[in-house]
Amino acid sequence: MKSTLDPLFLTVSNSHSLNQLEAFKAGSSIIAIRHGLAYAPLSTIIDTMRVITQQMIGDNNISKAIANLQWLDTMFTRHDNDSIVDERVAIKQTLAATLIEDDKIEQAMVVIAEALNLLIQNTRRKDEDFMCLLSLLLFDLALIHCQKKEFKQAEREILKSLKLLEKLSKLKPQRYSSAQLSVLNASTSIYRSRVDQANLLANYQVETSIHLAEVNSGIIEATARLVTSLQNEGDTLTQMNRYREAIHFYTRALKYLTRIEPDFSLQQLKLSISLGEALIQAKNTRDKGVHLLNTMLHKATKLDAAEEHKRIVEVLLNARNNSLDILNFWHKMFPK
């Protein structure tokens, strides 16, 4: 699935947008763009940033596109004016979509959380600008969760995005109908992925039962297979946001792994990191997860495991990032 930067996602139909886009052909300075957008309608701001960013991505200048959007974000944020909240959200939305295109998923999620934090100032709004921004943000957020194989969350977000676009399409079919169709197709894909994930979990559960029976029968080499199966169950449950169950399977996997690997190994480190992440996500076990991951930092250093060390640091940083808590608020607003 493509992000909201897909040229077919939104149709440019506003005459002001068309005139502005003509004025901002490739080559216009970022400062000129900022001044041109300062007093433009929101639809024009969205269209202009989308088209210019699409052109830069097409010219293999995605890094410059991200830098320009970050600069615009900083310039508009400096005003800290309630009257330009939507403009700031629009910039962040385009930035998040561009980060997704550049496979910078975690950064994109933080930017989306910041944008939603701005929108939360008035959740009773039902105007076109609000619905448009929220639908775009939710679609890109669903895309992130889909890439992380968190299909349940992705499905909830994309269905909310679809409901918003259904309303917008009735209001302005020429502009929003293509977006509605894109989201509908994506929702079908996510639903199928969630069903496939549930079937995969069922297969892992069968494998675990078979390997456990083999271990209990004294087949020594079956223990390694049992560890892998338990870890697969834990990983799948984590992706499904069933963290308490995931903790149980990661813990069991570590127990059996220590039987065949008495000395702390790289596999034990990876399993422990997954357990720590699940502990942080589950209610009432966050502190335990943080403590475990801090301990694993020293283990990773001793094992010279650079990738695992980096992963731990990123998880701990995200755990301290309060802006991501805003995503939980929005999830509560979306009925299952």
Side-chain angles (χ1 to χ4, degrees):
M1 291 185 295
K2 297 181 180 179
S3 75
T4 52
L5 276 178
D6 183 351
L8 299 177
F9 198 88
L10 277 182
T11 303
V12 180
S13 57
N14 182 286
S15 59
H16 191 287
S17 293
L18 294 171
N19 292 334
Q20 197 80 330
L21 289 172
E22 184 66 23
F24 292 143
K25 286 183 177 178
S28 296
S29 72
I30 187 66
I31 296 176
I33 293 173
R34 180 177 72 86
H35 287 301
L37 296 180
Y39 303 102
L42 184 70
S43 59
T44 299
I45 294 175
I46 293 173
D47 292 339
T48 302
M49 289 191 300
R50 280 171 53 80
V51 172
I52 291 175
T53 303
Q54 289 161 2
Q55 290 174 346
M56 296 184 76
I57 292 175
D59 294 336
N60 294 319
N61 285 329
I62 193 167
S63 296
K64 185 177 179 181
I66 291 172
N68 285 350
L69 288 165
Q70 288 173 333
W71 185 85
L72 281 172
D73 184 28
T74 301
M75 291 299 102
F76 275 76
T77 300
R78 282 181 182 176
H79 291 286
D80 196 20
N81 189 332
D82 290 342
S83 65
I84 59 168
V85 168
D86 286 353
E87 289 81 354
R88 293 168 61 192
V89 173
I91 294 169
K92 290 180 182 294
Q93 188 279 317
T94 310
L95 173 58
T98 311
L99 289 167
I100 291 172
E101 294 290 334
D102 200 30
D103 292 326
K104 295 178 178 176
I105 303 302
E106 297 300 329
Q107 291 182 42
M109 182 173 281
V110 171
V111 174
I112 290 175
E114 292 171 352
L116 291 173
N117 194 34
L118 290 171
L119 283 182
I120 201 177
Q121 295 177 20
N122 188 357
T123 56
R124 295 182 181 274
R125 288 177 57 185
K126 294 183 179 180
D127 56 279
E128 179 189 348
D129 288 347
F130 178 82
M131 289 192 293
C132 177
L133 289 171
L134 184 54
S135 66
L136 294 173
L137 287 166
L138 289 174
F139 181 86
D140 284 332
L141 185 58
L143 199 63
I144 291 173
H145 282 130
C146 190
Q147 289 195 31
K148 298 175 75 171
K149 298 183 179 180
E150 296 169 349
F151 298 117
K152 185 177 180 181
Q153 279 184 268
E155 188 177 16
R156 184 167 37 167
E157 291 150 358
I158 210 161
L159 288 177
K160 181 63 177 178
S161 178
L162 182 59
K163 287 180 180 179
L164 291 167
L165 285 167
E166 285 173 352
K167 294 178 181 179
L168 289 167
S169 292
K170 292 178 181 178
L171 185 67
K172 292 184 179 179
Q174 185 178 356
R175 178 163 175 78
Y176 295 108
S177 292
S178 59
Q180 180 186 359
L181 182 60
S182 296
V183 175
L184 181 61
N185 291 335
S187 67
T188 302
S189 175
I190 288 175
Y191 173 75
R192 289 173 181 167
S193 298
R194 188 165 69 86
V195 172
D196 291 343
Q197 188 181 59
N199 292 334
L200 184 63
L201 178 62
N203 290 334
Y204 287 145
Q205 290 170 337
V206 171
E207 285 183 15
T208 296
S209 298
I210 293 172
H211 297 322
L212 183 59
E214 291 174 341
V215 170
N216 291 335
S217 298
I219 302 176
I220 298 175
E221 59 270 22
T223 303
R225 295 195 293 270
L226 175 60
V227 170
T228 299
S229 183
L230 288 167
Q231 183 173 2
N232 287 336
E233 281 195 74
D235 290 343
T236 306
L237 287 163
T238 294
Q239 292 161 0
M240 298 172 76
N241 302 323
R242 294 162 60 177
Y243 300 112
R244 287 186 177 278
E245 295 169 80
I247 291 168
H248 172 70
F249 284 97
Y250 287 139
T251 303
R252 287 180 65 194
L254 279 167
K255 182 183 76 171
Y256 284 105
L257 184 58
T258 53
R259 291 184 183 180
I260 56 177
E261 295 182 358
D263 295 329
F264 195 83
S265 65
L266 181 60
Q267 187 176 2
Q268 289 183 42
L269 174 63
K270 292 179 177 179
L271 258 173
S272 298
I273 296 171
S274 295
L275 174 59
E277 285 187 89
L279 286 166
I280 286 175
Q281 293 293 338
K283 290 183 179 179
N284 304 321
T285 56
R286 179 187 177 96
D287 291 343
K288 289 183 180 179
V290 171
H291 176 74
L292 175 60
L293 290 178
N294 278 317
T295 302
M296 289 303 108
L297 276 175
H298 299 291
K299 299 281 189 181
T301 301
K302 287 184 179 180
L303 290 173
D304 196 24
E307 286 300 315
E308 285 66 31
H309 193 283
K310 179 182 177 182
R311 179 184 167 194
I312 295 169
V313 171
E314 288 176 350
V315 172
L316 289 173
L317 285 174
N318 287 335
R320 298 189 186 105
N321 192 339
N322 294 328
S323 68
L324 293 179
D325 293 342
I326 195 66
L327 298 180
N328 294 325
F329 172 86
W330 282 99
H331 287 321
K332 292 175 182 177
M333 293 183 64
F334 308 149
K336 295 181 181 180

